[in-house]
Amino acid sequence: MRYFRKKFAAFPVYEWLEIGILLCLTGGFLDAYTYVTRGGVFANAQTGNLILLAIGLAGGNGLAALRYLVPVLLFFAGVFLSELFLRLGRKTRSDFRGHGVVLISEICVLVAVGFLPASVPDMLVNALVSFAAAVQFDNFRRLEGKPFATAFCTGNLRAATEHVFRGAVEKEKDAWRTACKYLVVILAFLAGVVAGYFASRALGGYAALLAAAVLLIVLALILSGYAVRKRRIRIHRLTADDVPAAQALIWESFSRFVAPAFDAEGVENFRRFLYDVSLSEEHEFYGVFAGGMLKAALVAKKDGTHIAAFFTKNGEQRRGYGGRLMRWYLANAGADEVTVRASPSGAPAYARLGFTATDGETRRDGMVFVPMQYKKSNQKENEYGK
């Protein structure tokens, strides 16, 4: 249970390694399925189909070569429609409505394909499978915070090699672990190819139903994750098990919104502080959870006098998580005065929470910040004066 609690705190279910493994298994399976049962066409790797199209045209095969264009066009249509599904999920702020609808549509297509008779033209079947592969490929593009692909291995192999380099040469923390995750999903894709080959030879067209069954498992996992996320919001001091997720959240948000204003020295100073602070006895981590997922994190001195870091998870801004965490912390902080070094872009948000600037924009140790302070006594006076 501790393992899954940490996963829920760090990533949405549709980014989990376990989900990536199942999706890559399905991706490899579908490529083998169409290649074995439907005329040697790949459902996922459209580069291969484009090459076969160009070779066929160059060889004078004419209309026969155009069959490779059909899955390419349906892949294009699948990506286009999947973007509509993603937009629906973003508007409704629902993981399930975005990724769940995609999976349901893909499962329906594969079930239909599985029951199509052998007399149905290969061109139509390959087009339908390419459509299903496209919506899956476009909607599932991150593996525990890192980009990846479920439909082919080239990008995953490049990313694995990059992280092996970072671990071996640059001695970067967690690089080896990330490289292993990429290698696992590559092996899952290859396992899917092998399974698809034997299943297609044994079951023929019905083998597509096996791929649909795997996706049904993925759908159930995402649905359960969506149900968990709808539970009440919790705010508390983080345990040692939660700290790595908070550090990853803070670093990702810092890198996107704050680091561009710092020079290299400032970025390195912040990174060193963030990853060494967990070893310190002077600071504590706090977080706000929605459905078991960490949405915002705050690092502060144990005596409650200074906030060292405060960030909301990328993509979760303007949903109230950061404000709830900060208000909870200020209400429970032991000190009357709480200071913070706010980034210039974040200073207005602190001001809305009751902080006031004590000096102008300052640059120190490569970092740019606005010194700010929160006084509980002032807030009480303002309340009584209303």
Side-chain angles (χ1 to χ4, degrees):
M1 292 300 295
R2 177 181 295 180
Y3 171 79
F4 289 107
R5 188 180 66 168
K6 290 172 65 176
K7 298 273 278 193
F8 265 115
F11 310 105
V13 175
Y14 56 82
E15 288 189 18
W16 284 12
L17 175 63
E18 292 81 359
I19 296 297
I21 290 172
L22 292 175
L23 292 174
C24 285
L25 185 74
T26 304
F29 189 101
L30 292 178
D31 262 340
Y33 172 77
T34 55
Y35 190 86
V36 171
T37 66
R38 295 293 178 172
V41 173
F42 295 112
N44 298 334
Q46 300 307 314
T47 300
N49 289 329
L50 289 171
I51 291 173
L52 293 172
L53 170 65
I55 291 176
L57 294 175
N61 291 329
L63 293 177
L66 292 178
R67 65 192 176 101
Y68 295 108
L69 185 60
V70 176
V72 173
L73 294 177
L74 265 291
F75 191 91
F76 176 89
V79 171
F80 185 89
L81 290 177
S82 73
E83 288 296 321
L84 295 180
F85 293 146
L86 281 177
R87 177 168 295 188
L88 171 65
R90 285 192 291 267
K91 284 185 176 181
T92 58
R93 298 180 179 180
S94 165
D95 297 337
F96 180 71
R97 289 196 181 183
H99 297 80
V101 169
V102 165
L103 285 170
I104 292 172
S105 63
E106 187 178 4
I107 290 170
C108 291
V109 169
L110 292 179
V111 170
V113 166
F115 286 106
L116 289 177
S119 58
V120 173
D122 291 346
M123 182 182 298
L124 175 60
V125 175
N126 290 330
L128 291 173
V129 175
S130 292
F131 175 84
V135 293
Q136 174 184 305
F137 163 73
D138 189 60
N139 275 260
F140 297 90
R141 290 181 282 186
R142 297 191 71 80
L143 180 73
E144 299 191 351
K146 303 293 182 181
F148 94 122
T150 65
F152 35 77
C153 293
T154 304
N156 296 336
L157 185 60
R158 185 210 60 79
T161 306
E162 176 188 351
H163 283 85
V164 168
F165 173 84
R166 290 181 179 180
V169 179
E170 300 180 355
K171 309 300 181 183
E172 187 174 310
K173 291 183 178 180
D174 294 329
W176 286 108
R177 181 180 299 177
T178 303
C180 288
K181 291 178 182 178
Y182 280 112
L183 292 175
V184 167
V185 294
I186 290 171
L187 291 175
F189 186 90
L190 296 178
V193 172
V194 174
Y197 172 80
F198 286 109
S200 298
R201 289 180 65 88
L203 302 175
Y206 292 114
L209 300 177
L210 296 179
V214 175
L215 293 178
L216 192 60
I217 296 173
V218 175
L219 177 64
L221 291 174
I222 291 179
L223 179 59
S224 64
Y226 171 68
V228 169
R229 288 192 64 183
K230 292 183 67 176
R231 295 177 184 172
R232 65 183 179 87
I233 293 176
R234 297 182 296 110
I235 302 175
H236 57 78
R237 183 171 62 85
L238 302 185
T239 65
D241 290 335
D242 295 324
V243 166
Q247 289 172 320
L249 181 155
I250 291 171
W251 179 251
E252 183 180 9
S253 188
F254 166 83
S255 300
R256 179 175 179 181
F257 297 107
V258 180
F262 287 17
D263 60 25
E265 178 190 7
V267 173
E268 176 58 24
N269 285 337
F270 182 84
R271 187 200 67 79
R272 188 182 299 115
F273 163 78
L274 176 63
Y275 287 99
D276 289 346
V277 71
S278 60
L279 304 177
S280 169
E281 296 182 355
E282 299 180 356
H283 293 83
E284 292 180 323
F285 284 78
Y286 301 87
V288 54
F289 293 79
M293 183 179 296
L294 184 64
K295 298 296 186 178
L298 183 150
V299 184
K301 284 190 173 181
K302 285 188 175 181
D303 61 9
T305 60
H306 181 71
I307 296 172
F310 171 54
F311 289 91
T312 301
K313 184 178 179 66
N314 283 352
E316 301 287 356
Q317 289 83 4
R318 301 183 183 278
R319 299 188 180 183
Y321 297 122
R324 294 184 68 159
L325 173 59
M326 179 60 76
R327 285 189 288 271
W328 178 91
Y329 175 78
L330 293 174
N332 291 277
D336 178 66
E337 298 181 0
V338 182
T339 60
V340 67
R341 293 180 175 181
S343 66
S345 61
Y350 282 100
R352 289 192 294 270
L353 290 166
F355 286 80
T356 57
T358 57
D359 200 351
E361 187 173 303
T362 304
R363 181 178 291 272
R364 185 182 304 165
D365 298 327
M367 296 181 281
V368 182
F369 58 90
V370 178
M372 303 187 77
Q373 185 181 62
Y374 177 92
K375 289 187 177 182
K376 290 184 179 180
S377 56
N378 287 351
Q379 300 303 314
K380 292 179 180 178
E381 290 174 3
N382 292 337
E383 290 176 3
Y384 292 143
K386 290 182 180 180

